[in-house]
Amino acid sequence: MLRTLPSVVLALLAGLAGEGDEALVAAGPHFQAEQLLALERLEERLAAEKLRRLAVFDRMGGALAVRSRSTKGFLRTHAQMSQGRANRLVVLARELDRLPVVRDAQAAGVLSADQGEVLARELAPVDDPRARAEAAVLMVEHAPRLHLAQVRQAARQLHAHLVPERDSEGVGGGRAARPFQSWVRLSQTGTTSDPFWVVSGELSPLVGEKLRTALEAAMGTPVEGESRTHAERMGDALGVVTDLALGCGALPVTGGQRPHLTLIADLDALRATVCPAHPALDEHEDDDEGGVSRA
């Protein structure tokens, strides 16, 4: 619902929607490219404003006032947001609340949303307010001229310099930070008659590149008349890659045996579809000591 937002926002949305597909095509790709980048920056600036308001709402305990147990719970329930996204938004809002210079730079269009998130993650843990503010000012000054990877590297160096390393007992000990660990979660969902799986996770650069290369190889070049989306083709390619892995015979054993798939079928179904005239199914139908049994 947008009724509580300024009317100028509604006018902006109406103006954007007023440009139909035909008008965009007639304007040409260069005009569309400029508009797409402008809309991306507008979305990022709106995101910065949303995070500022979310931080204020969180600080004042607004969730309790609207009968939610937490800010994350409020977003999940009232914004119909996934738990993961709600958690990320609240954490980011709290981090940027400690770095108003970064948040203001994103709101002004100086920083992209990804740059702001990188700086929030690396600089918010700095305990010394003065050091944290000076590091934020330094990064905001230079980040617009740097690639995202360079921003990340510089922010990590500042983090390493300003945030003392801690050992497992929470005291300074010079212990190296735990390296990134890839993880994948498979969750079966759907209904009994129509099940499916949800895949989520994070991969290291090397593992992600290996998976991308394997999937793109299995996808091949789209044929004429291809109706599947890129994501759907990637999903089918994942099935091809797993079939190859399971069929190569090189996977480690699990529980003393190699991975395999067990199919359970009714004997009548096998007789009707697999081998209806096979003598083993008739000669020993009731013989428990040989052949195939109905037991």
Side-chain angles (χ1 to χ4, degrees):
M1 300 177 68
L2 300 177
R3 64 175 182 267
T4 60
L5 292 177
S7 59
V8 65
V9 175
L10 300 177
L12 172 62
L13 293 174
L16 291 171
E19 292 185 327
D21 292 356
E22 296 80 4
L24 294 176
V25 172
H30 295 288
F31 175 79
Q32 291 183 50
E34 291 178 357
Q35 282 209 333
L36 287 172
L37 293 177
L39 286 172
E40 176 65 22
R41 289 294 173 259
L42 174 61
E43 182 180 352
E44 292 174 339
R45 296 176 72 171
L46 288 173
E49 178 60 26
K50 180 179 68 175
L51 290 168
R52 182 182 72 86
R53 292 171 183 253
L54 183 59
V56 173
F57 181 80
D58 184 58
R59 272 191 275 115
M60 66 184 293
L64 297 177
V66 294
R67 299 183 179 181
S68 294
R69 301 201 315 190
S70 67
T71 304
K72 298 174 184 177
F74 165 77
L75 292 175
R76 291 198 301 269
T77 301
H78 296 279
Q80 294 296 308
M81 200 176 287
S82 69
Q83 180 175 350
R85 182 161 182 256
N87 291 344
R88 288 192 297 272
L89 275 179
V90 172
V91 169
L92 182 56
R94 290 171 178 171
E95 289 174 339
L96 288 174
D97 204 34
R98 293 167 59 85
L99 297 163
V101 172
V102 174
R103 187 179 58 204
D104 292 347
Q106 181 180 331
V110 176
L111 295 179
S112 71
D114 288 344
Q115 288 175 323
E117 187 169 350
V118 165
L119 297 183
R121 182 173 60 249
E122 300 297 340
L123 301 184
V126 178
D127 290 330
D128 185 344
R130 181 176 178 180
R132 184 171 65 244
E134 290 177 349
V137 170
L138 178 65
M139 288 305 307
V140 167
E141 179 181 354
H142 293 282
R145 297 187 295 274
L146 301 176
H147 188 273
L148 180 61
Q150 295 172 314
V151 172
R152 183 180 293 110
Q153 182 179 9
R156 285 177 176 173
Q157 290 176 347
L158 284 173
H159 176 100
H161 179 69
L162 297 174
V163 179
E165 295 179 352
R166 302 178 185 276
D167 60 19
S168 59
E169 297 181 356
V171 295
R175 177 176 164 178
R178 182 176 180 268
F180 178 88
Q181 175 62 53
S182 298
W183 65 272
V184 173
R185 182 179 296 113
L186 286 173
S187 306
Q188 189 173 21
T189 184
T191 63
T192 303
S193 60
D194 188 22
F196 61 92
W197 292 81
V198 174
V199 183
S200 59
E202 295 177 340
L203 302 178
S204 69
L206 179 59
V207 174
E209 189 64 27
K210 287 181 179 179
L211 180 60
R212 183 189 65 81
T213 302
L215 292 181
E216 288 184 349
M219 284 170 58
T221 304
V223 298
E224 185 177 355
E226 175 64 70
S227 60
R228 295 172 300 167
T229 66
H230 180 80
E232 290 170 340
R233 293 176 60 230
M234 289 281 275
D236 290 340
L238 182 59
V240 174
V241 170
T242 53
D243 286 343
L244 291 172
L246 291 171
C248 70
L251 288 176
V253 297
T254 302
Q257 58 184 350
R258 295 195 178 281
H260 65 283
L261 181 66
T262 301
L263 297 177
I264 301 176
D266 182 81
L267 178 61
D268 293 333
L270 287 175
R271 177 182 287 117
T273 61
V274 179
C275 44
H278 198 290
L281 295 176
D282 295 323
E283 293 176 3
H284 306 288
E285 183 172 327
D286 298 316
D287 185 359
D288 291 342
E289 297 181 357
V292 179
S293 171
R294 284 186 179 273

